[in-house]
Amino acid sequence: MTWDKILNFTLQLTSNALTTLQLFFMTLLFALPLGLLTAVIRMSRIRPVSYIMRGYLLVMRGTPLMLQLIFFMYGVKPAIENLLFNAFGASVTFSRLQVAIFSFTLNYAAYFAEIYRGGIESIPAGQREAANVLGFSKKQTFFRIILPQVVRKILPPMGNEFMTLVKDTALARIIGVVEITSYAEKMQAFYVSVLPVVIAGIFYLLMNAVVSRCFAAAEKRLGYYS
Amino acid sequence: MKVLQATDIQKSFGKNPVLRGISFDISQGEVLSIIGPSGSGKSTLLRCLTLLERIDSGYIAYEDLVMAKNDAASGKAVYSPAPVLQQIRRKFGLVFQNFNLFPHFSVLRNITEAPIHVAGKSRDEAEKEAMALLDKVGLAEKANAYPCELSGGQQQRVAIARALAMHPDILFFDEPTSALDPELTGEILKVIRNLAEEKMTMIIVTHEMAFARDVSDRVIFMDEGVIVEQGDPKQVIENPQSERTKAFLSRFSQR
Ligand SMILES: Nc1ncnc2c1ncn2[C@@H]1O[C@H](COP(=O)(O)OP(=O)(O)OP(=O)(O)O)[C@@H](O)[C@H]1O
Ligand SMILES: [Mg+2]
């Protein structure tokens, strides 16, 4: 590859990186709160409710994300589109990226849920009891006393998940989302050169360097107590 | 009117009866110590009185607010509706054996959080009062420290200030010095002694016999979920009547 081709490829790749970033941030935006909700329901004392959540967690964590993507793309997406059309006469079509965001959200929410649960269960019962005696409502206790301590505790495992997510976005190419890896693969074949693949790798590395920096900073900021 | 009235409290954990008919009351300004061997149900009693555990049957009331009373038909305790219980929570404070301060809040915020968000005080007012309380327990200069930066004795004094900030009518202590090194127990006992002088109503579970004898108006000796003996502290601790109390106290003085 010549220099101007490399430059051209890198510019093109940058625009595809936006798709990767979109998938990354949208997944976090939905999966972080959904995971918390899932964790809380999973810990419910109402047995059937808890068991349904366990089933969801088992499926999401026990099958390949790639398989889930295919399932949602070719099974769930058309079914929902048909349903919307038949029920409301609305002809909606979901984009490949939307389906990817949906699948990633459900999958990552399951992993996040287990991390949240571990964090919540690691907070000593005395914290809840002290809050209870002081008259805090359940909601206040959770959001003022428990959750801030949980966030601090789960930063390291969350950091790992965020970094895995950066790399997992590459899986979206299986349902035809054009992101960094799929473009690099195409260009590799076009130029018969692995250079595009190497440059794509550098993109992921840079993204993860930023993620890891952010987590290091957050851990430092919240490290004022032990 | 009695600050707290408890009648025939029964509580089991599964098949294990832990409280087997406890009755007592406490008047305004009285200091009551509860002593007894490990596993006799002292902590469970305090936890039932502070709504951390539910009783199976019996009657508990704070002044005219009934927490729980027996249902005539079933003989099982029925609790008052949540708003009444929330009102009752404002009547008492509890100091734990292991402090249970909120580690992510500064000392000052540990104290002001409930007055602001539960009692609805303004931040200014709550902070002013918290500083006065910290001054009282001798920790004014630690207002901006975090709990992990304090000694156990200091943490416990903050916990006492945190409980006092809600202006309880009655303050419970569950072995407030047991988690502390012996040389740190004195500072806690001094704070409690000062509260007694100010006529704070208190129930103190403790293994500090000399302290119980000197500071309290009345001592209860509990064993296996029942009150075996109660009365004047000097009388109970120095001249116990029941065999079980004698056995417990003699084991104690040998240590
Ligand atoms: N949550 C619980 N579940 C089951 N059993 C419990 C529970 N809490 C306490 N118990 C049992 O109740 C009994 C009384 O315990 P409790 O903690 O009230 O005793 P205590 O008098 O405070 O003892 P100590 O002096 O060691 O603090 C013990 O046999 C204990 O095992
Ligand atoms: Mg105890």
Side-chain angles (χ1 to χ4, degrees), chain A:
Chain A
M1 282 174 82
T2 56
W3 281 111
D4 62 320
K5 279 180 183 148
I6 292 174
L7 186 68
N8 192 29
F9 166 76
T10 308
L11 285 177
Q12 269 297 311
L13 197 66
T14 309
S15 82
N16 289 307
L18 292 180
T19 306
T20 297
L21 286 174
Q22 216 177 333
L23 180 53
F24 175 76
F25 282 112
M26 294 306 262
T27 300
L28 290 182
L29 180 70
F30 295 123
L32 283 171
L34 184 65
L36 184 57
L37 189 69
T38 307
V40 170
I41 299 174
R42 159 77 174 78
M43 286 184 290
S44 163
R45 258 168 302 185
I46 307 163
R47 281 282 175 81
V49 173
S50 167
Y51 277 114
I52 290 172
M53 274 304 151
R54 277 187 218 202
Y56 160 69
L57 294 179
L58 182 71
V59 171
M60 283 299 152
R61 303 194 317 142
T63 60
L65 175 53
M66 196 185 276
L67 209 64
Q68 293 167 20
L69 279 163
I70 298 169
F71 178 75
F72 281 114
M73 183 68 202
Y74 302 107
V76 178
K77 172 189 179 279
I80 293 181
E81 283 171 354
N82 279 339
L83 189 78
L84 287 176
F85 185 76
N86 294 336
F88 307 106
S91 68
V92 188
T93 48
F94 296 106
S95 72
R96 290 166 190 278
L97 181 60
Q98 282 169 336
V99 175
I101 291 168
F102 184 78
S103 315
F104 271 76
T105 297
L106 288 187
N107 182 274
Y108 268 80
Y111 285 96
F112 292 160
E114 289 297 88
I115 293 176
Y116 282 124
R117 184 169 70 90
I120 292 171
E121 285 176 351
S122 76
I123 305 298
Q127 291 291 308
R128 260 172 216 285
E129 293 179 350
N132 184 283
V133 170
L134 286 168
F136 288 106
S137 68
K138 279 212 164 107
K139 198 170 132 198
Q140 285 176 321
T141 302
F142 186 72
F143 286 105
R144 293 185 176 278
I145 310 297
I146 306 298
L147 194 57
Q149 296 185 53
V150 169
V151 168
R152 152 87 198 274
K153 282 207 173 166
I154 64 176
L155 277 179
M158 274 294 179
N160 282 338
E161 286 303 319
F162 278 43
M163 291 180 79
T164 307
L165 175 58
V166 166
K167 294 176 285 173
D168 272 357
T169 54
L171 292 173
R173 99 187 211 294
I174 200 71
I175 57 168
V177 176
V178 182
E179 37 68 68
I180 293 178
T181 301
S182 64
Y183 185 66
E185 191 185 22
K186 208 166 90 190
M187 290 301 112
Q188 182 273 328
F190 186 78
Y191 291 114
V192 199
S193 157
V194 296
L195 207 54
V197 178
V198 173
I199 296 172
I202 291 170
F203 266 74
Y204 288 109
L205 269 179
L206 283 176
M207 275 155 67
N208 266 334
V210 172
V211 168
S212 134
R213 273 289 171 84
C214 289
F215 272 87
E219 277 179 48
K220 204 165 162 200
R221 234 194 111 120
L222 295 178
Y224 59 83
Y225 71 90
S226 60

Side-chain angles (χ1 to χ4, degrees), chain A residues 124-137 140 144-146 148-149 224-226, chain B residues 47 50 52 86 89 92 94 96 100-105 109 113-114 117-118 146 148 162 166:
Chain A
Q127 291 291 308
R128 260 172 216 285
E129 293 179 350
N132 184 283
V133 170
L134 286 168
F136 288 106
S137 68
Q140 285 176 321
R144 293 185 176 278
I145 310 297
I146 306 298
Q149 296 185 53
Y224 59 83
Y225 71 90
S226 60
Chain B
R47 292 171 60 81
T50 52
L52 293 176
Q86 194 58 12
R89 279 197 185 90
F92 58 72
L94 172 61
F96 298 83
N100 290 335
L101 292 180
F102 304 130
H104 57 308
F105 289 158
R109 192 150 171 216
E113 194 74 358
H117 297 289
V118 177
Y146 283 86
C148 63
R162 179 175 73 173
M166 292 302 279

Side-chain angles (χ1 to χ4, degrees), chain B residues 13 16 18 37-44 175 207:
Chain B
F13 286 112
N16 175 20
V18 174
S38 186
S40 56
K42 308 180 297 295
S43 295
T44 306
E175 302 194 28
H207 288 300

Side-chain angles (χ1 to χ4, degrees), chain B residues 107 134-135 137-143 150 153-155 157-158:
Chain B
V107 163
L134 280 174
D135 204 35
V137 298
L139 287 173
E141 80 282 8
K142 296 288 186 192
L150 304 183
Q154 291 172 330
Q155 289 192 43
R157 282 186 279 159
V158 174

Side-chain angles (χ1 to χ4, degrees), chain B residues 69-80:
Chain B
K69 64 176 179 209
N70 282 341
D71 174 58
S74 68
K76 294 266 165 251
V78 178
Y79 276 78
S80 292

